[in-house]
């Protein structure tokens, strides 16, 4: 579709944000541009998945150009995963995707240079932007749009209080990590990719399609959304020195702030096996297990960016 044509935007809106004035202003502004904006609001668990699948059915009768995930990183994850799970293997969705950044961290939205402080501007951008091919990561059959992370750092992210995140930002993750320091233990695992293997104790693992996770932490700073590769970052568990210092540097400066010891690779397929069950987060959504097969679905979707 050419950029000057009118679109049908289907907005899946997190119910917590339904009353926001800037969201209403955004929808009104884009409708005034001549576009159609149909809004579906979530109320309870499972609604995002249900509404994403509903969009596929509705598209057959009333063509949808762009399915907009209005929420945080977890919302875009749930929307894209639900659509891809509903389609037959390898099929490309019939519409493009977009993100209206209404979450706390908005890591993926910031990667594609959306400003969460300007919601009307973001929705106007979505209506005008080109739909560009984008890769999607896959972990044991479930997709991720931005990043999959595992290890202690993942536990910190999933257990950080949302209210604390709003007040302290990224520092909230460090606060939670230090508060739970008595539970900190190394994760043992083996990681294999094309022409690469690593085995040992790690503090955290990140597999990035995007660059940031956990509230802006640059875990995969050179990742690209459309290059057909995933960026693997391994943070080995320190053999000596203060773990809290390592964690503080990681949360404050990302992997670029760490002078040595970080393992980084680009790969299309990654296999991770851990001695004990660990938690992985796919765009913030937790999974638990010991065996992880991770791959890339090259140009699986189109994203307005």
């Amino acid at each position: 579709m050419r950029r000057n044509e009118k679109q049908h935007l289907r907005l899946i809106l997190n119910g917590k944000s339904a009353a926001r004035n800037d969201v209403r202003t955004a929808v009104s502004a884009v409708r005034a541009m001549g576009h159609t904006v149909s809004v579906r609001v979530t109320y309870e668990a499972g609604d995002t998945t249900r509404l994403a699948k509903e969009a596929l059915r509705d598209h057959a009768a009333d063509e949808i150009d762009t399915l907009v995930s209005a929420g945080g990183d977890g919302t875009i994850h749930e929307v894209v995963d639900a659509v891809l799970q509903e389609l037959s293997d390898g099929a490309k969705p019939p519409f493009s995707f977009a993100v209206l950044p209404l979450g706390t961290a908005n890591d993926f939205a910031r990667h594609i240079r959306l400003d969460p402080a300007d919601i009307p501007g973001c929705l106007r951008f979505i209506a005008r932007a080109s739909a560009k091919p984008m890769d999607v990561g896959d972990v044991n059959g479930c997709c991720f749009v931005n990043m999959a992370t595992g290890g202690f750092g993942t536990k910190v992210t999933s257990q950080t209080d949302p209210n604390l995140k709003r007040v302290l930002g990224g520092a909230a993750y460090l606060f939670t990590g230090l508060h739970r320091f008595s539970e900190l233990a190394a994760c043992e695992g083996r990681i294999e990719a094309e022409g690469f293997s690593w085995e040992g104790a790690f503090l955290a693992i990140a597999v990035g399609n995007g660059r940031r996770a956990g509230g802006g932490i640059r875990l995969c700073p050179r990742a690209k959304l459309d290059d057909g590769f995933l960026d693997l970052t391994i943070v080995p568990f320190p053999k000596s020195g203060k773990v809290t210092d390592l964690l503080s540097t990681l949360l404050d400066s990302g992997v670029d702030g760490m002078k040595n010891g970080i393992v980084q690779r680009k790969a299309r397929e990654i296999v991770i096996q851990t001695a004990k069950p660990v938690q992985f987060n796919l765009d913030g959504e937790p999974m638990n297990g010991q065996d992880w097969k991770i791959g890339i679905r090259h140009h699986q979707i189109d994203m307005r960016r």
Side-chain angles (χ1 to χ4, degrees):
M1 188 183 72
R2 295 188 300 273
R3 293 177 64 178
N4 61 344
E5 290 183 349
K6 302 308 179 185
Q7 282 200 65
H8 176 190
L9 306 178
R10 169 63 59 85
L11 197 67
I12 297 181
L13 174 62
N14 189 309
K16 297 177 181 178
S17 302
R20 284 179 52 161
N21 289 331
D22 56 352
V23 173
R24 292 181 177 275
T25 298
V27 170
S28 296
V30 171
R31 284 174 174 166
M33 294 165 62
H35 302 289
T36 298
V37 183
S38 56
V39 182
R40 302 292 183 269
V41 179
T42 66
Y43 178 72
E44 56 193 357
D47 280 355
T48 300
T49 295
R50 177 179 60 80
L51 293 172
K53 293 178 179 180
E54 178 185 282
L56 274 175
R57 295 191 297 271
D58 290 351
H59 174 80
D62 184 10
E63 184 173 334
I64 294 171
D65 297 294
T66 305
L67 186 59
V68 183
S69 303
D73 294 319
T75 303
I76 182 64
H77 161 83
E78 195 171 355
V79 167
V80 172
D81 189 57
V83 170
L84 295 182
Q85 295 282 1
E86 192 75 359
L87 295 171
S88 56
D89 290 346
K92 192 167 184 175
F95 39 64
S96 62
F97 294 87
V99 178
L100 191 64
L102 302 176
T104 302
N106 298 304
D107 287 308
F108 177 74
R110 293 181 189 279
H111 183 152
I112 59 175
R113 295 187 176 88
L114 294 178
D115 181 4
D118 182 12
I119 294 304
C122 288
L123 198 58
R124 286 195 297 268
F125 171 81
I126 290 167
R128 294 168 175 154
S130 299
K132 300 176 182 177
M134 195 184 93
D135 301 339
V136 172
D138 183 289
V139 179
N140 293 353
C142 296
C143 85
F144 65 92
V145 174
N146 184 51
M147 192 175 295
T149 53
F152 173 70
T154 307
K155 186 181 292 185
V156 171
T157 301
S158 67
Q159 294 172 345
T160 299
D161 184 275
N163 292 321
L164 195 64
K165 286 193 287 186
R166 278 192 287 271
V167 174
L168 299 180
Y173 297 104
L174 177 59
F175 176 87
T176 303
L178 296 177
H179 179 68
R180 307 187 67 91
F181 184 73
S182 61
E183 298 179 11
L184 177 58
C187 299
E188 298 278 349
R190 180 176 180 84
I191 302 157
E192 297 182 340
E194 307 98 285
F196 168 79
S197 66
W198 184 93
E199 187 169 2
F202 59 88
L203 179 68
I205 295 174
V207 181
N209 189 36
R211 297 175 179 176
R212 299 174 175 84
I217 307 167
R218 290 172 60 86
L219 295 174
C220 299
R222 282 164 284 284
K224 296 182 179 179
L225 297 171
D226 56 5
D227 65 350
F229 288 91
L230 294 167
D231 279 41
L232 168 67
T233 297
I234 306 170
V235 183
F237 199 88
K239 296 180 180 179
S240 61
K242 295 182 178 180
V243 178
T244 50
D245 290 343
L246 177 63
L247 184 61
S248 178
T249 300
L250 179 64
L251 296 178
D252 183 55
S253 305
V255 296
D256 283 341
M258 309 179 80
K259 295 181 180 179
N260 50 50
I262 301 299
V263 179
Q264 294 179 293
R265 291 288 188 281
K266 282 186 175 288
R268 293 185 177 90
E269 293 185 353
I270 302 165
V271 176
I272 301 174
Q273 295 177 310
T274 56
K276 296 180 180 179
V278 298
Q279 179 175 290
F280 259 80
N281 280 352
L282 279 58
D283 300 326
E285 300 302 308
M287 296 177 66
N288 290 282
Q290 290 179 254
D291 296 285
W292 310 90
K293 185 175 181 180
I294 306 174
I296 189 78
R297 303 184 193 179
H298 186 45
H299 289 182
Q300 176 69 69
I301 64 173
D302 291 330
M303 179 71 65
R304 301 275 170 182
R305 57 189 177 94

